[in-house]
Amino acid sequence: MRISSFKTTLLGMILVPAGLLTACGNSEGNGGTGASDTAALSTTPMTTDTGTGMTGGNGAGGAQAVLSGTKADTTLSGTARFMEAGGRVTMNLDISVPKMANQTVAVHIHEHGDCGEMGNGAHGHWNPTKEPHGKWGEGQFHRGDIGNVTLDASGKGTLQLDTDLWSISNTDSTRNILNRAIIVHGGKDDFQTQPTGGAGSRIGCGVIAKM
Ligand SMILES: [Cu+2]
Ligand SMILES: [Zn+2]
Protein backbone atom coordinates (compact mmCIF):
# COMPACT_ATOMS: atom_id res chain seq x y z
CA MET A 1 0.00 0.00 0.00
CA ARG A 2 2.94 2.32 0.01
CA ILE A 3 2.95 5.06 -2.56
CA SER A 4 6.29 6.48 -1.63
CA SER A 5 7.60 5.75 -5.09
CA PHE A 6 5.30 8.33 -6.58
CA LYS A 7 7.11 11.04 -8.42
CA THR A 8 6.62 13.99 -6.17
CA THR A 9 6.33 16.30 -9.10
CA LEU A 10 3.14 14.58 -10.12
CA LEU A 11 1.43 15.42 -6.85
CA GLY A 12 0.20 11.89 -6.80
CA MET A 13 -2.24 12.70 -4.06
CA ILE A 14 -4.79 14.06 -6.45
CA LEU A 15 -4.53 11.03 -8.66
CA VAL A 16 -5.18 8.36 -6.08
CA PRO A 17 -8.82 7.49 -5.54
CA ALA A 18 -9.55 7.83 -1.86
CA GLY A 19 -11.02 4.37 -1.78
CA LEU A 20 -7.67 2.79 -2.45
CA LEU A 21 -6.26 4.29 0.68
CA THR A 22 -8.82 3.27 3.18
CA ALA A 23 -8.40 -0.45 3.14
CA CYS A 24 -5.57 -0.72 5.63
CA GLY A 25 -5.98 2.41 7.63
CA ASN A 26 -5.19 1.80 11.22
CA SER A 27 -7.55 3.47 13.55
CA GLU A 28 -6.71 6.38 15.73
CA GLY A 29 -10.33 7.18 16.05
CA ASN A 30 -10.73 6.20 19.66
CA GLY A 31 -10.28 8.36 22.64
CA GLY A 32 -10.71 11.68 20.93
CA THR A 33 -11.47 14.55 23.17
CA GLY A 34 -14.79 16.26 23.29
CA ALA A 35 -16.93 16.10 20.24
CA SER A 36 -19.99 17.27 22.04
CA ASP A 37 -20.34 20.98 21.75
CA THR A 38 -21.05 22.71 18.51
CA ALA A 39 -18.97 25.16 16.57
CA ALA A 40 -19.03 26.51 13.09
CA LEU A 41 -17.74 24.41 10.26
CA SER A 42 -14.27 25.46 9.30
CA THR A 43 -14.30 26.66 5.76
CA THR A 44 -11.59 29.27 5.77
CA PRO A 45 -8.03 28.02 5.72
CA MET A 46 -5.52 30.67 6.68
CA THR A 47 -4.47 32.79 3.78
CA THR A 48 -1.74 34.82 5.32
CA ASP A 49 1.33 35.94 3.47
CA THR A 50 2.67 33.67 0.81
CA GLY A 51 6.10 33.43 2.24
CA THR A 52 8.07 36.37 1.01
CA GLY A 53 11.63 35.83 1.94
CA MET A 54 11.24 32.10 2.26
CA THR A 55 14.16 31.19 0.14
CA GLY A 56 14.99 27.56 0.46
CA GLY A 57 18.62 26.72 0.12
CA ASN A 58 19.93 24.83 -2.90
CA GLY A 59 17.02 26.11 -4.96
CA ALA A 60 14.57 23.80 -3.27
CA GLY A 61 12.05 26.50 -2.49
CA GLY A 62 9.60 26.07 0.32
CA ALA A 63 6.71 23.78 0.96
CA GLN A 64 3.62 24.11 3.05
CA ALA A 65 0.52 22.39 4.28
CA VAL A 66 -2.62 24.44 4.77
CA LEU A 67 -4.56 22.85 7.59
CA SER A 68 -8.31 22.73 7.89
CA GLY A 69 -10.76 20.94 10.11
CA THR A 70 -12.05 17.46 9.42
CA LYS A 71 -15.06 17.63 11.73
CA ALA A 72 -18.11 19.83 11.42
CA ASP A 73 -18.06 20.65 15.12
CA THR A 74 -14.42 21.70 15.43
CA THR A 75 -13.13 24.82 13.73
CA LEU A 76 -9.46 24.47 12.92
CA SER A 77 -7.06 26.39 10.74
CA GLY A 78 -3.34 26.62 10.38
CA THR A 79 -0.26 26.28 8.27
CA ALA A 80 2.90 24.26 8.41
CA ARG A 81 5.67 25.89 6.43
CA PHE A 82 8.89 24.18 5.49
CA MET A 83 12.15 25.65 4.29
CA GLU A 84 15.23 23.70 3.39
CA ALA A 85 18.80 24.90 3.53
CA GLY A 86 22.10 23.15 4.00
CA GLY A 87 20.50 19.73 4.19
CA ARG A 88 18.15 20.76 6.98
CA VAL A 89 14.44 21.47 6.97
CA THR A 90 12.90 24.03 9.28
CA MET A 91 9.20 23.74 9.99
CA ASN A 92 7.11 26.59 11.33
CA LEU A 93 3.72 25.36 12.43
CA ASP A 94 0.83 27.63 13.39
CA ILE A 95 -2.52 26.20 14.36
CA SER A 96 -5.72 27.62 15.71
CA VAL A 97 -8.37 25.46 17.36
CA PRO A 98 -10.54 27.83 19.40
CA LYS A 99 -12.59 25.02 20.86
CA MET A 100 -9.47 23.50 22.41
CA ALA A 101 -8.08 26.59 24.09
CA ASN A 102 -5.61 25.78 26.87
CA GLN A 103 -5.34 22.17 25.78
CA THR A 104 -2.59 20.19 24.13
CA VAL A 105 -2.96 18.49 20.78
CA ALA A 106 -0.73 16.05 18.93
CA VAL A 107 0.59 16.76 15.45
CA HIS A 108 2.13 14.16 13.16
CA ILE A 109 3.10 13.64 9.58
CA HIS A 110 0.99 10.78 8.28
CA GLU A 111 1.98 8.60 5.40
CA HIS A 112 -0.40 9.56 2.61
CA GLY A 113 -1.21 13.00 1.30
CA ASP A 114 -4.93 12.37 1.47
CA CYS A 115 -7.20 14.20 3.92
CA GLY A 116 -10.32 12.38 2.82
CA GLU A 117 -12.53 10.29 5.08
CA MET A 118 -12.07 12.83 7.90
CA GLY A 119 -8.32 12.48 7.76
CA ASN A 120 -8.28 8.71 7.72
CA GLY A 121 -7.15 8.75 4.11
CA ALA A 122 -3.76 9.81 5.43
CA HIS A 123 -3.32 6.37 7.01
CA GLY A 124 -0.85 5.93 9.88
CA HIS A 125 2.17 7.91 10.98
CA TRP A 126 4.82 8.30 8.33
CA ASN A 127 7.40 5.70 9.39
CA PRO A 128 9.87 5.02 6.60
CA THR A 129 12.50 3.65 8.96
CA LYS A 130 10.14 1.12 10.55
CA GLU A 131 10.67 2.21 14.11
CA PRO A 132 8.22 2.24 17.01
CA HIS A 133 6.16 5.31 17.73
CA GLY A 134 7.95 7.64 20.11
CA LYS A 135 9.08 11.09 21.01
CA TRP A 136 10.88 13.18 18.43
CA GLY A 137 14.64 13.13 18.92
CA GLU A 138 14.68 10.56 21.72
CA GLY A 139 15.58 6.98 20.94
CA GLN A 140 13.37 5.45 18.29
CA PHE A 141 10.48 7.33 16.77
CA HIS A 142 8.54 7.68 13.57
CA ARG A 143 9.87 10.29 11.16
CA GLY A 144 6.38 11.76 11.38
CA ASP A 145 6.29 12.06 15.16
CA ILE A 146 6.28 15.83 15.43
CA GLY A 147 4.82 15.84 18.93
CA ASN A 148 2.49 18.00 20.99
CA VAL A 149 1.42 21.61 20.62
CA THR A 150 0.00 23.47 23.59
CA LEU A 151 -2.74 25.91 22.65
CA ASP A 152 -3.11 29.23 24.40
CA ALA A 153 -6.23 30.81 25.82
CA SER A 154 -7.44 31.67 22.36
CA GLY A 155 -6.70 28.24 20.96
CA LYS A 156 -3.56 29.21 19.08
CA GLY A 157 -0.31 27.30 19.17
CA THR A 158 3.01 27.25 17.37
CA LEU A 159 5.86 24.83 17.01
CA GLN A 160 9.19 25.09 15.28
CA LEU A 161 11.29 22.11 14.35
CA ASP A 162 14.65 21.97 12.62
CA THR A 163 15.94 18.65 11.37
CA ASP A 164 18.18 16.88 8.92
CA LEU A 165 15.83 13.89 8.87
CA TRP A 166 13.41 15.51 6.42
CA SER A 167 13.78 16.90 2.94
CA ILE A 168 11.62 18.73 0.45
CA SER A 169 14.18 18.40 -2.34
CA ASN A 170 15.57 14.90 -1.95
CA THR A 171 13.27 12.21 -3.30
CA ASP A 172 14.73 9.57 -0.97
CA SER A 173 11.59 8.06 0.51
CA THR A 174 13.07 7.97 4.00
CA ARG A 175 13.40 11.76 3.98
CA ASN A 176 10.93 13.21 1.51
CA ILE A 177 7.98 14.80 3.28
CA LEU A 178 6.23 16.12 0.18
CA ASN A 179 2.79 14.74 -0.57
CA ARG A 180 2.28 13.54 2.97
CA ALA A 181 -0.31 14.83 5.40
CA ILE A 182 0.01 16.87 8.56
CA ILE A 183 -2.64 15.59 10.98
CA VAL A 184 -3.79 17.43 14.09
CA HIS A 185 -5.36 15.21 16.74
CA GLY A 186 -7.97 15.94 19.35
CA GLY A 187 -5.78 14.65 22.15
CA LYS A 188 -2.25 14.56 23.41
CA ASP A 189 0.49 12.22 22.27
CA ASP A 190 1.71 10.05 25.15
CA PHE A 191 4.80 9.04 23.08
CA GLN A 192 4.29 5.43 24.14
CA THR A 193 1.05 3.92 22.88
CA GLN A 194 1.73 1.96 19.69
CA PRO A 195 1.50 2.90 16.94
CA THR A 196 -0.52 6.06 17.46
CA GLY A 197 0.59 7.71 20.68
CA GLY A 198 -3.00 7.48 21.82
CA ALA A 199 -3.58 10.92 20.38
CA GLY A 200 -7.24 10.52 19.65
CA SER A 201 -9.33 11.39 16.67
CA ARG A 202 -8.18 13.44 13.70
CA ILE A 203 -9.47 16.98 13.85
CA GLY A 204 -7.31 18.70 11.26
CA CYS A 205 -5.43 17.85 8.11
CA GLY A 206 -3.38 19.38 5.32
CA VAL A 207 -1.16 17.99 2.58
CA ILE A 208 2.47 19.08 2.31
CA ALA A 209 3.11 20.53 -1.13
CA LYS A 210 5.72 22.69 -2.79
CA MET A 211 4.92 26.37 -2.70
CU1 LIG B 1 -1.26 11.40 13.90
ZN1 LIG C 1 4.19 7.89 15.42
Side-chain angles (χ1 to χ4, degrees), residues 28 108 110 125 183 185:
E28 288 183 84
H108 307 127
H110 283 235
H125 298 184
I183 293 281
H185 291 271

Side-chain angles (χ1 to χ4, degrees), residues 108 125 133-134 142 145 195:
H108 307 127
H125 298 184
H133 177 75
H142 298 150
D145 288 346

Side-chain angles (χ1 to χ4, degrees), residues 27-40:
S27 172
E28 288 183 84
N30 54 352
T33 59
S36 53
D37 59 326
T38 56

Side-chain angles (χ1 to χ4, degrees), residues 41-207:
L41 177 66
S42 174
T43 56
T44 52
M46 287 169 70
T47 54
T48 49
D49 77 86
T50 53
T52 48
M54 291 186 60
T55 52
N58 61 32
Q64 73 172 357
V66 178
L67 308 177
S68 58
T70 64
K71 295 184 170 184
D73 70 348
T74 306
T75 299
L76 183 149
S77 61
T79 54
R81 293 207 171 108
F82 302 88
M83 292 180 296
E84 183 166 349
R88 302 186 71 84
V89 168
T90 299
M91 177 190 74
N92 282 286
L93 174 72
D94 287 276
I95 58 175
S96 174
V97 195
K99 177 180 169 179
M100 301 199 63
N102 298 312
Q103 296 182 55
T104 299
V105 297
V107 180
H108 307 127
I109 298 176
H110 283 235
E111 186 175 7
H112 296 309
D114 180 351
C115 290
E117 313 263 340
M118 298 179 73
N120 290 310
H123 280 205
H125 298 184
W126 175 46
N127 181 24
T129 55
K130 306 301 177 199
E131 293 175 44
H133 177 75
K135 185 175 186 183
W136 183 270
E138 293 186 8
Q140 292 190 299
F141 55 93
H142 298 150
R143 291 299 181 261
D145 288 346
I146 292 172
N148 289 318
V149 178
T150 299
L151 306 177
D152 66 15
S154 58
K156 296 184 188 306
T158 62
L159 184 71
Q160 189 174 67
L161 193 156
D162 174 74
T163 181
D164 62 1
L165 299 178
W166 295 346
S167 179
I168 56 176
S169 64
N170 185 331
T171 55
D172 177 348
S173 65
T174 65
R175 296 183 65 209
N176 178 22
I177 60 171
L178 293 173
N179 196 26
R180 306 195 184 282
I182 299 280
I183 293 281
V184 181
H185 291 271
K188 196 175 179 176
D189 192 325
D190 64 14
F191 305 129
Q192 295 184 344
T193 303
Q194 300 298 331
T196 65
S201 61
R202 304 176 184 203
I203 62 172
C205 184
V207 175

